[in-house]
Amino acid sequence: MVTGATAPGKKSLQTTLEISRAVKAYYGGVQAAKQEGKPIVWSYGLIPREIFHAVGAPVIYLEHLPLLMSTKQLSGRYCQIAEEEGFSRDVCAFHRCFIGCAAEEEKHPYLAKFWAPPDLIVASNLPCMSESKSFLYAANHFNCPYFFIDAPINIWGKEIPDYAVEYYAGQLGEALDFLGGYGYRLDWAKLKEAVALSRRLVYLWREIDEYRKAIPAPMGIVDGLTCAFPLIQLPGTKLGVELYERLRDEIKERVENKIGVLEEEKLRLLWIGVPPFYNMGLLNYPEQYGAIVVKSFVEYLAGGAFDPAIMDPEKPLESLATKALVDIVNPTYQNMIDFAVQTAKDFSVDGQIALVKRSCGLIPGVLRLVKDAVYQADGIPTTIFDLDGMDLREYDDAATKANIDSFIETLLDSKRRG
Amino acid sequence: MSTIDTMRDILHNPERLVADWKAQGKKIVGYRCIYVPEEIIWAAGMWPYPIFGTPEAITQADSYFQPCTCEFIRNIFDHALDGKLNFLDGLVLCNTCDAVRHLYDMWITYIKVPDCHIINNPQKMYDESGYKYYCVELKRFKSEMENLSGNGISDESLQSAINLHNQTRGLLKELYSLRKKDPPLISGGEALDIVMASMLMPKDKCNQQLQQLIAEVKTRESPKTRGPRILITGSIIDDPTLIQLVEEVGGVVVADDLCTTTKYFWQEVGQNKDPLDALSRYNTERCLCSCMHPPERRFDYLWELIEEFGANGVIYFNLKYCHPFLYEAALFREKLAAKDVPTLMLEVDHSLSGLGQLRTRIQAFIEML
C-alpha cells in the first residue's frame, strides 16, 4: 500500500557526488566489457569481491541493482514480474526485484543503463538462504555456468578455526579456477595487492567512522548509504581507496570546523534494517524534530565491521576467508549483537529505529536480540515496525511516519524530563 | 491395539516412554533436523528425540520472532518458552535454513536450558572438500555429546548405533515398497504417522514395532478404491491433515519426498572401518533438503521417487515463509512440466488455516488428473 509521496534524500558531501559518478562509471565499465566480448559475472556483495577485481572480471552484484531500481521507484514493478515468474511475495524483495530485472524481456530505459546479462554466476549462502537460491533462476534463465561457495556459519565468534578457514579458502581457490576457465587467469601478485588494498579500504572506513561519531554529526545516513558503495563493490581496488581518502579528508575538515548536518542536534538515532531506497527522503524526516539519523547499520553489512589486521596480503585466500566468515552478517549473531551494542554507544545515540522487511529471512530474526542487548547495555530504546525498504508496493507512508513521530516524541519527552 | 495404533499412541503421547527412559537415569537430547547424526547421540547412551511442531496456536514466541519467520520454528520456540521441552537434557540443531539459525540465537539467549548445540554442517553436498570439513565438525560434535552424556563413544558403540539405525531405515523402506502396489496397502496419512513415530521412538523398540507392522500390513486386503497416484514434496509436514485431505478428495498419496518421510530413511549409512567417517560420508551424500546444494541432486531424487512409485501428479507443499523451498518452487515446477508431470503448488501456514479453500484447489487438481 503506497500512501503519500516519495522523495529523494538530502546529501551534504562533495565526495558523495563523486561516488555517485563512480557508480555510473562502474556499470559503464561492465557494459563496455560486455561489448568487448568479455564474460560478465553475476555475484553477491558478500562473496570476497577482491577475487573478481584481482582477475579483472566485470561483476554485477545482486544487491546493488535492485537498490538502484528502487531509488527510481521501479522495484515494485520488478518484484511483480518475479511473482509472475512463480516467486512468492514472501521471498526477499531484493531478490525478487533482481529476478524481475532478469526476466523482463524489453528492459526499462533506466535498467538498461546498468544492465549486462551474465555469462557466469558465482553464488554463496552467506549470509542467507536467498543468496544461495535466487541465482538458480538466473542460471537456468540465461543457461550459464554456476559456481557455489558454501560458507560455514560463524559459531565461533571472532576466532575462526583453521578447518573452517581452509574449507572456505579452498572454495575461493576453486572459484578462481572456475573464473580462470573463462579467461580470467589468476596472478597471485595481483590477488595479494587486492587484499592489501582491501585492508587499506577498511582502515580508511574505520577512520571515517571515528569522525562520524563526532557531535554534531558531520554526515548523515543518506550520504552514508551512497558512500558505502566502495566498501561493497570496490574492495581490492585503487579507486575504492582513493574515494575513501577523499571522503576521510572531507569529513575530517567538517569535524574540525564543527560543521554538522543539523545546527542543533536534539536526538541522535541509529537506523537498523533496510532503509526505504524508494523514499530516501524519509531518512531526513526526523530532522524536523532536530533528530539526526547518524548511521545505518546496513552500511556494516558488507564488511566494514571487523578488525582489518586479520588480513595478511601474503595469505590472500585465508585472509579473504577469515574476513567473510567473521563478518557480523554471517549467522549466528553474537558478533552482530556485540557490534550493535558498541555502535549505539560509540555514536552516542538516543534511540534506534529498527525495520522489519517482511520478506527478509535474516534481519527480522535478530531485531529482538539487538533491541534487548542494546537496552540492557546502555538503556537505549529501540522501536521496531514493518517497513519493506525494497518493495514499494508494501510501503505505507502515513503509518511509517506515525511510528517515527511517536518514537521521537517519546524520546524528546524523556530527554526533557531528564 | 494394532501396531499402527500403538505407534501413533507413542507419537502423540510420548510422556510414558520419556518417564521410563528418565527413570533409568538416562538423558534425552532433542534435535532438529535430519542432518543431525542421531547415531552419535545414541552411541553416547542418550535418546535422540526429534522435535516436531504441534497444531497449537503460537502465543509467546511472537514477541521474540517476527511473524514473517517460519511458523514451524516459532511453534517450537513457543513450546520451549512454555516449558514443554524442559524434559530435554540438550538440544541439537544444524546448519540448514535462516529460521533454524535464528532459533539457535534465540535459544541460547532466552531459553538457556536445555543446552543448545549446533552442528555446522556444509551445505554443499557431494563435494570432497565439504566432506573433509564435515569430518572435523563431526569430531567436535562427538566430543560435545561425550561431555553431555558423561560417556565415551567407542568405534564399536558407534558402529552398533549405525547398524541399529540402518535397520530402521531398511524396515521403513520395506514398508514403503508396499505403497508401490495399485492401490497401495497403506495410506499417505498412515505412512507419515509411522515414519514420524519411528523417528521419535528409541530404535531398538521401534524396529520391533516396524517388523510387526510390516507383517500386519502385508495381510491387509487391497483397498477397493483407486485414484490418481500423488507424490507430495516440499517443506516439512508434521501433521497428516493435508495428506488426508488429498486422499479424501480422491487422490492416492503413494509417496512423499519430505524430511519427515523418505528423506529420513531412503539411504543407509555405508560400511567403513571408521564409523565417524561413514557418518560424514552419509550426511554429505544423502537426499537433499532444499537448503542444500546442488538442487539438481534433489530433483534427481524426486524423479526417482516419481518413477519408482508411479506417481501421476506432484503436490509441491510450501510452508509459509519457508524460503528455501519457496525459491526452488518455480524451478521445480518448470522441471516437472518439462517431464509432463502435472504439479500443484501450495503455500500454506503451519496451522493449516483455510482448509476449505485448500480442499477446493486440491480437488480441482485431482479431477484434472
Side-chain angles (χ1 to χ4, degrees):
Chain A
M1 177 172 56
V2 184
T3 57
T6 57
K10 284 185 281 182
K11 296 169 186 167
S12 312
L13 305 181
Q14 186 59 35
T15 316
T16 307
L17 299 176
E18 283 184 49
I19 290 175
S20 295
R21 282 195 289 272
V23 171
K24 287 178 188 142
Y26 178 89
Y27 285 95
V30 173
Q31 290 181 326
K34 183 76 181 176
Q35 283 181 347
E36 288 167 19
K38 288 186 179 172
I40 303 300
V41 181
W42 277 12
S43 192
Y44 298 106
L46 283 150
I47 289 176
R49 285 76 77 199
E50 294 86 346
I51 63 169
F52 302 119
H53 295 304
V55 299
V59 188
I60 287 188
Y61 294 102
L62 180 141
E63 296 86 352
H64 198 243
L65 203 62
L67 190 155
L68 292 170
M69 294 308 107
S70 190
T71 59
K72 297 294 175 190
Q73 292 80 44
L74 292 169
S75 49
R77 162 203 175 99
Y78 286 118
C79 286
Q80 179 76 37
I81 294 173
E83 287 153 26
E84 286 161 12
E85 289 289 305
F87 287 87
S88 166
R89 197 162 173 159
D90 290 342
V91 300
C92 177
F94 270 89
H95 292 258
R96 267 182 291 138
C97 183
F98 194 85
I99 288 162
C101 291
E104 189 180 45
E105 286 189 11
E106 194 173 329
K107 304 300 178 205
H108 184 280
Y110 188 69
L111 172 60
K113 289 181 183 179
F114 306 97
W115 179 253
D119 300 289
L120 309 169
I121 291 176
V122 179
S124 182
N125 48 356
L126 197 169
C128 63
M129 277 293 116
S130 299
E131 304 287 37
S132 74
K133 291 293 169 185
S134 69
F135 266 161
L136 296 173
Y137 171 86
N140 196 44
H141 187 76
F142 294 103
N143 192 27
C144 59
Y146 175 94
F147 186 85
F148 176 73
I149 301 174
D150 177 32
I153 55 174
N154 181 6
I155 58 174
W156 305 285
K158 291 184 176 59
E159 299 292 330
I160 308 295
D162 289 346
Y163 73 100
V165 172
E166 279 167 22
Y167 176 47
Y168 193 85
Q171 291 179 84
L172 286 180
E174 290 171 28
L176 283 162
D177 291 342
F178 171 75
L179 293 167
Y182 296 90
Y184 296 119
R185 302 278 173 208
L186 173 64
D187 174 341
W188 281 98
K190 283 190 177 170
L191 185 62
K192 289 176 183 178
E193 186 191 7
V195 171
L197 287 166
S198 180
R199 185 176 61 179
R200 173 79 184 129
L201 187 82
V202 179
Y203 273 120
L204 282 164
W205 172 258
R206 287 161 68 96
E207 198 180 345
I208 292 162
D209 240 18
E210 285 303 313
Y211 287 117
R212 289 183 68 179
K213 291 170 188 170
I215 300 172
M219 98 191 235
I221 178 174
V222 179
D223 284 290
L225 287 164
T226 305
C227 291
F229 171 76
L231 188 71
I232 297 169
Q233 297 200 193
L234 302 177
T237 65
K238 286 178 184 158
L239 176 61
V241 168
E242 286 164 10
L243 287 167
Y244 275 176
E245 282 171 346
R246 266 174 261 166
L247 179 61
R248 185 264 325 268
D249 293 345
E250 189 178 0
I251 290 286
K252 184 182 174 195
E253 192 182 330
R254 284 173 73 93
V255 171
E256 285 170 356
N257 293 306
K258 298 195 182 320
I259 302 170
V261 178
L262 297 182
E263 283 185 13
E264 187 198 356
E265 286 180 3
K266 291 181 182 167
L267 289 176
R268 292 165 65 86
L269 302 171
L270 192 66
W271 190 279
I272 299 178
V274 177
F277 290 108
Y278 43 75
N279 184 18
M280 295 289 271
L282 183 74
L283 303 173
N284 302 115
Y285 178 77
E287 292 170 12
Q288 64 186 289
Y289 291 97
I292 172 96
V293 183
V294 290
K295 188 83 180 173
S296 164
F297 217 72
V298 167
E299 294 173 39
Y300 291 119
L301 301 187
F306 66 94
D307 181 357
I310 63 173
M311 297 179 79
D312 175 1
E314 290 306 311
K315 295 178 182 171
L317 292 181
E318 291 81 357
S319 295
L320 295 175
T322 308
K323 173 193 165 189
L325 297 179
V326 83
D327 195 307
I328 57 166
V329 82
N330 187 21
T332 62
Y333 287 120
Q334 196 53 52
N335 277 357
M336 188 191 281
I337 294 162
D338 292 346
F339 192 78
V341 169
Q342 195 59 45
T343 304
K345 191 175 182 176
D346 289 350
F347 279 80
S348 313
V349 301
D350 302 289
Q352 303 192 112
I353 296 175
L355 292 318
V356 177
K357 178 169 144 283
R358 194 184 56 83
S359 58
C360 179
L362 184 71
I363 302 297
V366 82
L367 292 182
R368 166 72 193 250
L369 291 159
V370 167
K371 176 189 164 91
D372 286 357
V374 170
Y375 188 76
Q376 280 162 18
D378 292 307
I380 297 167
T382 304
T383 183
I384 302 177
F385 57 88
D386 284 6
L387 192 153
D388 187 324
M390 178 50 55
D391 188 348
L392 178 57
R393 298 168 304 165
E394 304 274 359
Y395 182 59
D396 183 339
D397 191 57
T400 300
K401 286 178 177 162
N403 279 319
I404 294 173
D405 289 339
S406 61
F407 184 58
I408 291 178
E409 283 162 8
T410 307
L411 288 176
L412 287 171
D413 189 45
S414 168
K415 245 190 164 175
R416 268 194 297 271
R417 285 186 282 109
Chain B
M1 197 184 271
S2 67
T3 307
I4 189 167
D5 286 338
T6 304
M7 293 182 80
R8 276 178 166 150
D9 186 48
I10 291 170
L11 175 64
H12 299 301
N13 305 292
E15 298 81 8
R16 206 178 61 214
L17 214 53
V18 167
D20 289 349
W21 186 272
K22 289 269 187 179
Q24 298 169 54
K26 295 198 286 187
K27 291 183 174 173
I28 303 178
V29 176
Y31 75 90
R32 175 89 252 128
C33 67
I34 58 167
Y35 293 99
V36 171
E38 50 184 330
E39 292 89 342
I40 293 176
I41 301 170
W42 182 267
M46 302 184 288
W47 176 3
Y49 190 100
I51 308 294
F52 302 122
T54 73
E56 291 163 33
I58 294 165
T59 53
Q60 300 178 68
D62 280 351
S63 67
Y64 293 84
F65 283 103
Q66 303 299 327
C68 56
T69 308
C70 169
E71 196 183 342
F72 173 70
I73 294 300
R74 280 186 284 140
N75 189 288
I76 289 174
F77 196 67
D78 209 56
H79 290 312
L81 288 168
D82 254 355
K84 289 177 184 161
L85 300 177
N86 283 356
F87 67 92
L88 298 176
D89 298 287
L91 177 73
V92 181
L93 302 174
C94 56
N95 178 22
T96 53
C97 63
D98 297 334
V100 168
R101 295 160 168 189
H102 284 317
L103 179 64
Y104 175 76
D105 281 310
M106 289 287 187
W107 197 287
I108 60 173
T109 308
Y110 299 111
I111 304 292
K112 294 191 171 66
V113 178
D115 252 3
C116 188
H117 305 255
I118 190 160
I119 301 175
N120 206 345
N121 52 281
Q123 294 194 336
K124 192 174 190 175
M125 309 281 266
Y126 297 91
D127 177 79
E128 208 52 28
S129 62
Y131 153 73
K132 284 178 187 160
Y133 160 79
Y134 189 59
C135 285
V136 184
E137 188 56 19
L138 268 198
K139 275 184 194 150
R140 183 183 69 81
F141 176 64
K142 175 174 168 259
S143 166
E144 283 186 3
M145 291 301 101
E146 285 173 328
N147 289 339
L148 179 63
S149 65
N151 301 321
I153 301 173
S154 65
D155 281 358
E156 291 71 28
S157 64
L158 190 54
Q159 187 58 56
S160 168
I162 289 171
N163 294 344
L164 185 70
H165 286 71
N166 271 348
Q167 191 188 3
T168 309
R169 295 178 182 112
L171 288 166
L172 285 169
K173 205 162 178 184
E174 185 183 346
L175 183 78
Y176 260 55
S177 68
L178 304 175
R179 300 178 76 185
K180 291 177 188 170
K181 292 178 188 270
D182 188 19
L185 291 180
I186 52 170
S187 71
E190 286 177 320
L192 179 71
D193 281 344
I194 294 163
V195 181
M196 285 175 60
S198 303
M199 291 171 81
L200 181 86
M201 292 167 70
K203 294 296 175 284
D204 47 358
K205 285 194 168 52
C206 168
N207 292 348
Q208 291 169 14
Q209 296 287 327
L210 279 175
Q211 282 163 346
Q212 280 178 38
L213 179 69
I214 290 166
E216 283 173 20
V217 171
K218 279 180 177 170
T219 63
R220 282 183 179 180
E221 277 188 31
S222 192
K224 299 281 184 288
T225 51
R226 283 187 162 80
R229 294 171 68 84
I230 304 296
L231 181 145
I232 298 185
T233 184
S235 312
I236 185 168
I237 294 181
D238 57 359
D239 178 318
T241 306
L242 182 90
I243 296 170
Q244 287 162 350
L245 196 62
V246 176
E247 293 177 329
E248 279 167 25
V249 298
V252 180
V253 178
V254 293
D256 25 57
D257 161 31
L258 303 167
C259 60
T260 41
T261 60
T262 49
K263 278 200 186 87
Y264 175 68
F265 65 82
W266 203 246
Q267 290 132 321
E268 292 188 7
V269 181
Q271 295 300 317
N272 188 316
K273 274 191 282 187
D274 178 353
L276 201 62
D277 190 65
L279 280 174
S280 300
R281 188 62 77 184
Y282 171 71
N283 278 296
T284 52
E285 294 186 0
R286 64 187 293 192
C287 310
L288 269 64
C289 150
S290 68
C291 297
M292 307 301 180
H293 286 256
E296 294 79 15
R297 291 278 189 167
R298 184 162 91 83
F299 187 79
D300 291 345
Y301 160 68
L302 176 65
W303 183 245
E304 180 189 322
L305 289 179
I306 290 170
E307 291 206 306
E308 204 168 325
F309 286 86
N312 309 119
V314 167
I315 294 180
Y316 192 108
F317 170 79
N318 273 305
L319 197 59
K320 193 110 176 115
Y321 300 116
C322 176
H323 289 182
F325 281 98
L326 284 171
Y327 273 114
E328 287 194 352
L331 192 68
F332 271 57
R333 186 173 62 180
E334 198 177 312
K335 281 176 178 279
L336 289 166
K339 288 188 176 280
D340 290 326
V341 178
T343 306
L344 174 67
M345 314 300 285
L346 296 177
E347 195 174 335
V348 185
D349 56 34
H350 185 256
S351 55
L352 294 174
S353 60
L355 269 183
Q357 204 177 33
L358 267 182
R359 173 187 287 270
T360 308
R361 288 191 63 198
I362 294 168
Q363 192 164 27
F365 179 64
I366 299 295
E367 284 166 2
M368 184 198 80
L369 293 173

